[in-house]
């Protein structure tokens, strides 16, 4: 939140008070992550922030990087995202939500947290795993586990009591839920790379004098670079702190297992392509060209 507050402050300072932004974080405004899209589109608010995981059911095309096991590592995901940002994501926001993207960065560290390594089909067999949506639930089912829907606020006690055997969440979520007080293993899957977006209503942007538009865009670009650097480092810092402070152990997926997981979860990508049609195929074409 500090980076977004800095963005707001810098815009106010550079504009000499001609443009001010009333910054409200989640819980201070009435909109869910999915509702903020339509709130900005309809001009109820002029600027909003959300992540693709919150809008996958409303606008599945936005959630491309949330598909399972597309990428081998963070650098590969960043490379593809850079190619998708202008012709794909920016176009969706403009066409469907009358919005201009101002920041957009990806988040690594999607992991599975439990009391043993969950790094093979054999290890996952029959394990009850907390998921947070239909896509992650189907992924766990295809990999042999039993998906379980647990509210984030109940994650700690569910792991503590053994109601579930493991939980899918990012490292920020793991830290917020204090899961490493009750489980001692992280299996570093990086199965998806969620994207967080900030966007401005196009009519609201067009109503500004050109110099103010330029200030918004320039400060947003600077903030975006800080946000990406913060997430790259912050994710790893949380993992290192958990190792040093909580004594957790960490394992990952070897290349053969990752390839096996990718093959097993192909039906999810096939269903997404069918649902999103030409738009989804555009994303996959850019993805495949980038990996060649």
């Amino acid at each position: 939140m500090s980076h977004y507050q800095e963005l707001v402050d810098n815009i106010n300072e550079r504009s000499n008070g001609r443009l001010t932004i009333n910054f409200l974080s989640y819980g201070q405004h009435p909109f869910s992550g999915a509702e903020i899209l339509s709130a900005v589109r309809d001009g109820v608010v002029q600027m909003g922030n959300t992540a693709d995981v919150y809008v996958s059911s409303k606008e599945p095309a936005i959630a491309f990087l949330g598909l399972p096991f597309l990428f081998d590592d963070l650098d590969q995901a960043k490379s593809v995202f850079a190619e998708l940002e202008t012709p794909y994501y920016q176009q969706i926001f403009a066409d469907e939500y009358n919005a201009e993207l101002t920041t957009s960065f990806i988040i690594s560290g999607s992991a599975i947290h439990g009391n043993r390594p969950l790094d093979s089909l054999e290890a996952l067999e029959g394990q009850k795993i907390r998921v947070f949506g239909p896509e992650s639930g189907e992924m766990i089912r295809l990999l042999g586990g039993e998906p379980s829907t647990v509210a984030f606020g109940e994650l700690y006690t569910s792991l503590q009591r053994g109601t579930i055997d493991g939980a899918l969440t990012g490292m920020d979520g793991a830290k917020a839920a204090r899961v490493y007080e009750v489980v001692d293993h992280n299996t570093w899957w990086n199965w998806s790379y969620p994207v967080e977006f900030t966007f401005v209503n196009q009519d609201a942007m067009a109503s500004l004098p050109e110099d103010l538009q330029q200030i918004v865009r320039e400060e947003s670009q600077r903030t975006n670079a800080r946000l990406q650097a913060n997430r790259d480092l912050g994710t790893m810092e949380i993992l290192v702190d958990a190792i040093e402070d909580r004594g957790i152990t960490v394992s990952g997926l070897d290349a053969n297992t990752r390839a096996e997981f990718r093959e097993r979860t192909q039906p999810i990508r096939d269903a997404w392509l069918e649902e999103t049609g030409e738009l989804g195929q555009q994303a996959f074409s850019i993805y495949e060209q980038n990996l060649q």
Side-chain angles (χ1 to χ4, degrees):
M1 292 299 101
S2 62
H3 290 293
Y4 292 120
Q5 185 64 61
E6 185 179 16
L7 168 65
V8 168
D9 293 342
N10 287 346
I11 290 172
N12 180 54
E13 181 178 352
R14 284 189 61 190
S15 70
N16 294 315
R18 292 164 59 210
L19 175 59
T20 59
I21 301 173
N22 184 23
F23 175 59
L24 301 174
S25 62
Y26 287 110
Q28 294 178 311
H29 62 71
F31 307 108
S32 68
E35 290 169 342
I36 200 70
L37 285 172
S38 56
V40 170
R41 179 196 63 202
D42 299 338
V44 178
V45 295
Q46 290 74 50
M47 190 174 189
N49 170 276
T50 192
D52 57 4
V53 295
Y54 300 124
V55 302
S56 61
S57 59
K58 181 182 183 67
E59 190 62 54
I62 291 178
F64 175 67
L65 267 72
L67 295 175
F69 300 105
L70 285 174
F71 306 104
D72 294 331
D73 53 44
L74 175 59
D75 287 341
Q76 195 178 73
K78 281 184 176 180
S79 177
V80 172
F81 180 66
E83 295 297 320
L84 285 167
E85 189 170 13
T86 298
Y88 185 72
Y89 288 106
Q90 288 188 13
Q91 204 60 47
I92 292 173
F93 277 89
D95 292 347
E96 302 297 329
Y97 296 99
N98 189 32
E100 176 181 330
L101 277 183
T102 49
T103 71
S104 52
F105 63 95
I106 64 176
I107 305 169
S108 60
S110 298
I112 187 165
H113 317 272
N115 278 317
R116 63 173 181 170
L118 294 168
D119 54 3
S120 67
L121 294 175
E122 292 75 20
L124 280 165
E125 185 65 34
Q127 293 287 291
K128 294 180 180 178
I129 307 298
R130 179 260 184 178
V131 299
F132 47 80
E135 296 87 357
S136 60
E138 181 65 2
M139 176 184 71
I140 290 298
R141 187 190 69 79
L142 289 168
L143 295 175
E146 297 181 12
S148 178
T149 302
V150 173
F152 186 79
E154 300 172 2
L155 194 54
Y156 184 100
T157 54
S158 296
L159 287 167
Q160 184 181 45
R161 296 169 180 169
T163 307
I164 55 176
D165 300 303
L168 286 174
T169 189
M171 294 308 299
D172 289 288
K175 178 181 180 180
R178 310 192 328 273
V179 300
Y180 290 122
E181 293 181 9
V182 290
V183 298
D184 57 15
H185 198 88
N186 172 303
T187 309
W188 192 256
W189 276 16
N190 261 340
W191 61 275
S192 71
Y193 290 86
V195 185
E196 186 169 314
F197 303 98
T198 307
F199 39 96
V200 177
N201 177 281
Q202 290 186 119
D203 298 327
M205 181 71 91
S207 71
L208 297 174
E210 288 188 6
D211 66 319
L212 293 185
Q213 293 184 39
Q214 187 67 16
I215 288 172
V216 171
R217 293 183 179 119
E218 288 177 355
E219 291 302 326
S220 294
Q221 287 181 350
R222 293 191 183 99
T223 298
N224 196 69
R226 297 185 189 107
L227 287 164
Q228 187 67 72
N230 174 281
R231 288 301 75 219
D232 291 352
L233 180 61
T235 294
M236 298 307 299
E237 285 180 337
I238 295 170
L239 182 64
V240 170
D241 288 346
I243 294 170
E244 294 180 345
D245 298 341
R246 293 291 173 184
I248 72 162
T249 55
V250 182
S251 61
L253 303 177
D254 61 37
N256 289 336
T257 301
R258 181 167 290 276
E260 188 175 27
F261 280 21
R262 182 178 292 132
E263 182 179 358
R264 285 289 187 107
T265 56
Q266 182 64 44
I268 298 173
R269 296 185 289 281
D270 291 341
W272 183 87
L273 276 169
E274 183 176 353
E275 183 177 13
T276 56
E278 292 184 7
L279 195 57
Q281 189 57 60
Q282 177 190 357
F284 253 95
S285 295
I286 293 172
Y287 160 76
E288 289 170 344
Q289 289 169 12
N290 187 272
L291 296 187
Q292 289 178 355

